Amino acid sequence: MASAPAPRGAALATLLPLVLGGAVLLASGTRAWPAWAAVVAVSVVSGAVALRRAAPPKPHSAPARSAPDEGGSAMYAMQRPVRGVPTNGLPDDVPYTLKVTTRSHLAVIGPPGSGTGSEAVHIPLTGHNLVFSLTADGPYEVTLVRLEARATRHASLVADGISMAHRRVPDMVYSPDLLESIQRSVEAFEPLKRPDFEVRLDDGPATVRPVGEDAPPLPLTVPGGESATLVLTPVTGSGAWVHWRLEAEIECEGRTHTPSWDLTVTATTGMVVHHPGGGRTSTPVHELYPDHWDPSAPAPEPGQDTANERFEVAAHISADGTGVLRGPSRPDPDPEPPEGLRLREAGDRHLAAGRVREAADAYRAAAEAGSGHGAFALGKLLHEQGDLVGAERWYERAAERRITAVFNNLGMAALQRGDTDRAERWYRRAMDEGDWTAVDGLGALMAGRGDDAQAETLWKLAADNGQPNAAQNLAVLLNRQGRTAEAEALWVRAAEAGNAGAAVHLGFLRHEAGDLKEAERWWRESAERGNSQGAYYFGVFLARAGRTDEAERWWRQAAGRLGDPENFTGSHMPTERGFGYALVQAAASGEALSAYELACLLDDKGDRAGAERWWTAAARAGHIEAVLRVAQVAMNDHDDLDGCLRWLRIAVEDKRTPLERLATAAGALHRLTGGLYDGTRPDNPDALAACALAVDAYERLHGQDATAYEQPYGQVLDSYARLSREAGDLGAADAADRRLSALGLRPG
């Protein structure tokens, strides 16, 4: 813009919609007005958009005038918010130190040659901090007698760019080369301080006025060896480049000095709101950064600034301003060595033939031979088997080989482990590579944190960019908020795009509306697409209609994805494309639910062995009712006390176990203790083990309802104390007695 105002002005007019998030939608070809409105609403005030740095312009001998708020050709991440100001007219031998610095969150960049030198000029925005620091270096006091200001000239503002501070890393950074400078900007960010004095540059003449009754009065005396700091804030409404001078009068040891500082300021932000349908309005700095001082408004209270809650976008734009550039071309993945490629392709063949173990061995060998794709494939295999630690190890190996598709899966694995900070980091790296799947995953993370507003924004963006699972997740959110019509429209859209999970929800909606034919259609469709939740609910629908043979077929198909129930190696993790946009606990997965229902159906048919196999599979996936059933089978069918107690301990320790089921198990354990007790033996290990578990169960129950469970809790504690003494464990017996005393009961 510095050398060619007309074309550069046109570029800026198309650049600024990016500040609103508009370029995100332009790049994706989105034309839906609701999406535009959402991005405008969340992006306009954030201003946290970094744009491509223009090539350094040539010096200007006579720069053309630019209209206010048609400012620079580029936007930079501010990494030096604090800048020193040279002092004029002060001898070197004064016994005090005088320092003046500026701190601003937004500055206009004047091109080289536009100021007094050959370097670009940093012009801070109105309301910034001007920090005046005076230190008495020796034993003598120093007095600041007065401060005066005057505007020296108003010049045309020809901007070459805008420098903006970042409170945090934006939610979406499209260009990886922006990340480093934005991160440095975030590290340097500090809120501005409330000023002690306003410098009213628009007054005639300019004035220095105290702000509030607590402003320190002048003259200000600084005792020897001490320091004093004043915060001034220059205020102007002028869109020009305002040059001004600050002068001070200082007395020390009978001498008077009048140092001065030459400064600049402007009210032109270079930021404009472009509205859908046409029209634009200038954006003042106070809207972008509320801690920039605004004398016409009260100072913001702590925590009042909500800008951090807004969705922020950072990207480069194309030269014509019509789309998003993804920054410099990214390096391709490391080439696969011939041996690594051969082994990885062998793994693909094994996997296609169902030879999972052989595939894993081949992928591991490929990764060791330098194949990033082999490491990625092995990570996915382990991820599907529930080995998150192993999956992440190989995913990271793939990431080192620049397999960018792995970033999303690393985010998913971290999210499944509950490490949301790590998940967010990987999701954002994936988003920087243009992976809309990761945008969907970050939406799930935000929803898990309770940030529905940001989750909705992310899912809308991802859905508008072809992610049917994002539309499905957004629909779940909207339905939970009571926006059923919006949710149904999105589910239909997602289901028609092939999302089987959306079809499950449509089945629910139709069933609740009494349209059983449509409910059956959608559940069947989701089941036929391989969705285990759909297969489970379709099976329930069929079983209630008396079509148990059909129900059994669908439940077997879904439950079979848990693996061989007799050789189960871990909890199920979602294996749908994209690695689980809708996070479901293994215990609530369609596979576990189907396994449990299948077991109950087989038990009703008299197939006890088949029922036990599938109850065990469901129990190993965390299904609590299945856990209790397997414990019962272990004791009643196999006289396996150890197995029974092992499964019951899982139920006792799982907080999802309903209290009434836990109470039933606790009572059974206490009765079992009595049945196992043999008074002729000095120790009763089986009875003691059952009683110890009963104590744990009743302790949980007592914590939930002390009145209802105090008596049985006391009884089982008394039994445990007696058994522990007979076994010679006096420490355990004494501990049980103390717990009895805490209940107000006397040990038996």
Side-chain angles (χ1 to χ4, degrees), residues 197-566:
F197 295 90
E198 290 177 353
V199 181
R200 297 287 193 110
L201 295 171
D202 295 344
D203 290 354
T207 58
V208 179
R209 299 182 180 180
V211 175
E213 297 179 355
D214 56 347
L218 297 181
L220 175 65
T221 298
V222 181
E226 297 185 16
S227 298
T229 299
L230 300 177
V231 178
L232 292 76
T233 183
V235 176
T236 182
S238 173
W241 181 1
V242 180
H243 296 251
W244 67 285
R245 172 168 289 192
L246 177 68
E247 295 180 348
E249 181 180 339
I250 300 176
E251 294 180 351
C252 183
E253 295 186 84
R255 292 190 296 170
T256 299
H257 302 104
T258 55
S260 65
W261 299 266
D262 292 316
L263 300 142
T264 61
V265 68
T266 184
T268 295
T269 65
M271 308 291 286
V272 176
V273 178
H274 288 251
H275 303 284
R280 68 182 207 164
T281 55
S282 174
T283 304
V285 66
H286 317 100
E287 288 189 12
L288 300 171
Y289 297 98
D291 55 356
H292 268 248
W293 180 253
D294 180 4
S296 64
E301 297 295 330
Q304 182 177 329
D305 179 11
T306 59
N308 283 351
E309 300 173 7
R310 298 186 179 96
F311 186 84
E312 298 181 359
V313 180
H316 297 297
I317 65 159
S318 57
D320 61 5
T322 61
V324 173
L325 287 179
R326 302 301 167 84
S329 59
R330 296 170 178 78
D332 292 329
D334 288 351
E336 287 185 282
E339 180 64 8
L341 174 61
R342 184 187 69 79
L343 290 166
R344 196 256 299 171
E345 290 178 341
D348 292 342
R349 290 192 296 272
H350 284 307
L351 191 61
R355 298 187 293 270
V356 177
R357 184 172 300 174
E358 291 83 352
D361 290 342
Y363 288 145
R364 184 174 288 103
E368 296 291 356
S371 169
H373 293 287
F376 187 20
L378 178 57
K380 287 196 294 184
L381 202 58
L382 295 173
H383 197 161
E384 291 175 344
Q385 293 173 349
D387 182 0
L388 295 178
V389 175
E392 287 184 273
R393 182 171 65 251
W394 292 104
Y395 282 158
E396 288 174 354
R397 183 83 66 91
E400 291 171 0
R401 298 287 182 181
R402 295 197 289 270
I403 308 297
T404 57
V406 77
F407 298 159
N408 172 73
N409 284 16
L410 275 164
M412 184 65 207
L415 190 56
Q416 287 175 306
R417 288 193 297 99
D419 188 345
T420 57
D421 290 339
R422 176 179 167 85
E424 183 173 357
R425 288 195 298 272
W426 281 113
Y427 276 141
R428 292 192 187 284
R429 282 196 63 183
M431 287 161 58
D432 296 341
E433 300 293 334
D435 188 344
W436 285 102
T437 301
V439 179
D440 183 16
L442 185 61
L445 187 152
M446 293 302 171
R449 289 177 176 172
D451 190 347
D452 286 358
Q454 189 162 170
E456 180 174 345
T457 299
L458 287 162
W459 281 333
K460 279 181 178 177
L461 287 169
D464 286 337
N465 282 273
Q467 289 296 322
N469 290 288
Q472 134 83 348
N473 282 344
L474 177 59
V476 172
L477 176 65
L478 296 175
N479 189 56
R480 177 164 55 81
Q481 295 175 345
R483 298 154 67 182
T484 308
E486 295 176 72
E488 184 170 5
L490 285 169
W491 273 324
V492 170
R493 170 182 165 187
E496 291 177 347
N499 185 276
V504 176
H505 286 282
L506 284 174
F508 274 118
L509 285 182
R510 294 298 92 218
H511 192 272
E512 290 174 0
D515 189 348
L516 301 185
K517 184 176 181 181
E518 278 296 289
E520 180 179 358
R521 178 174 82 87
W522 284 115
W523 279 332
R524 179 185 293 276
E525 186 169 321
S526 67
E528 288 175 347
R529 288 178 181 172
N531 184 279
S532 297
Q533 292 283 118
Y536 165 69
Y537 287 111
F538 186 40
V540 171
F541 179 87
L542 294 170
R544 289 178 178 175
R547 297 153 63 182
T548 54
D549 290 343
E550 291 180 78
E552 180 179 345
R553 178 168 63 86
W554 287 109
W555 284 335
R556 279 189 183 278
Q557 182 173 307
R561 299 189 184 105
L562 286 173
D564 182 355
E566 294 183 350

Side-chain angles (χ1 to χ4, degrees), residues 158-173:
V158 180
D160 189 51
I162 300 169
S163 178
M164 301 182 67
H166 288 261
R167 302 169 178 84
R168 60 183 176 87
V169 175
D171 299 273
M172 190 177 296
V173 183

Side-chain angles (χ1 to χ4, degrees), residues 2 55-61 63 109-121 158-160:
K58 297 178 181 179
H60 297 261
S61 56
I109 308 300
S114 61
T116 57
S118 60
E119 295 185 357
V121 182
V158 180
D160 189 51

